[in-house]
Amino acid sequence: SGVTERGLYVELIDNKCEGMIRMVDLKSDFFEYNAQQHSIYGIHTHKKYQLGDPIRIKVKKVNIQKRFLDFIPTE
């Protein structure tokens, strides 16, 4: 649902909850943010995550009081 220099915002289809995959949790590569393309791009793997792309995730952390979800990719 969004891409920033901090990471990817992910919206779950089933319940419309939104959370974030932080850049530091993308361990497979070093990713660079591209504001014009609303994407991040892996320097070594050439993996690109772009606004609107589907992605498989796992829940990393939940804080109900602060109302946030942290995800990690399963790919």
Side-chain angles (χ1 to χ4, degrees), residues 8 17 39 45 59 69:
L8 304 167
C17 287
S39 66
T45 62
V59 176
L69 295 167

Side-chain angles (χ1 to χ4, degrees), residues 28-44:
S28 62
D29 201 349
F30 179 79
F31 286 84
E32 290 188 340
Y33 172 62
N34 184 317
Q36 288 77 28
Q37 292 183 355
H38 302 285
S39 66
I40 59 174
Y41 181 78
I43 304 252
H44 304 289

Side-chain angles (χ1 to χ4, degrees), residues 1-62:
S1 65
V3 181
T4 70
E5 64 279 348
R6 292 179 42 227
L8 304 167
Y9 286 96
V10 177
E11 181 182 47
L12 302 178
I13 295 170
D14 294 341
N15 56 18
K16 301 297 183 191
C17 287
E18 189 172 76
M20 178 177 238
I21 300 173
R22 300 184 187 284
M23 287 284 230
V24 296
D25 291 327
L26 294 169
K27 306 286 187 192
S28 62
D29 201 349
F30 179 79
F31 286 84
E32 290 188 340
Y33 172 62
N34 184 317
Q36 288 77 28
Q37 292 183 355
H38 302 285
S39 66
I40 59 174
Y41 181 78
I43 304 252
H44 304 289
T45 62
H46 306 289
K47 175 71 178 164
K48 183 177 182 181
Y49 295 103
Q50 190 169 333
L51 182 64
D53 285 349
I55 186 169
R56 297 181 67 82
I57 55 97
K58 280 194 326 189
V59 176
K60 176 185 176 188
K61 187 177 183 182
V62 175

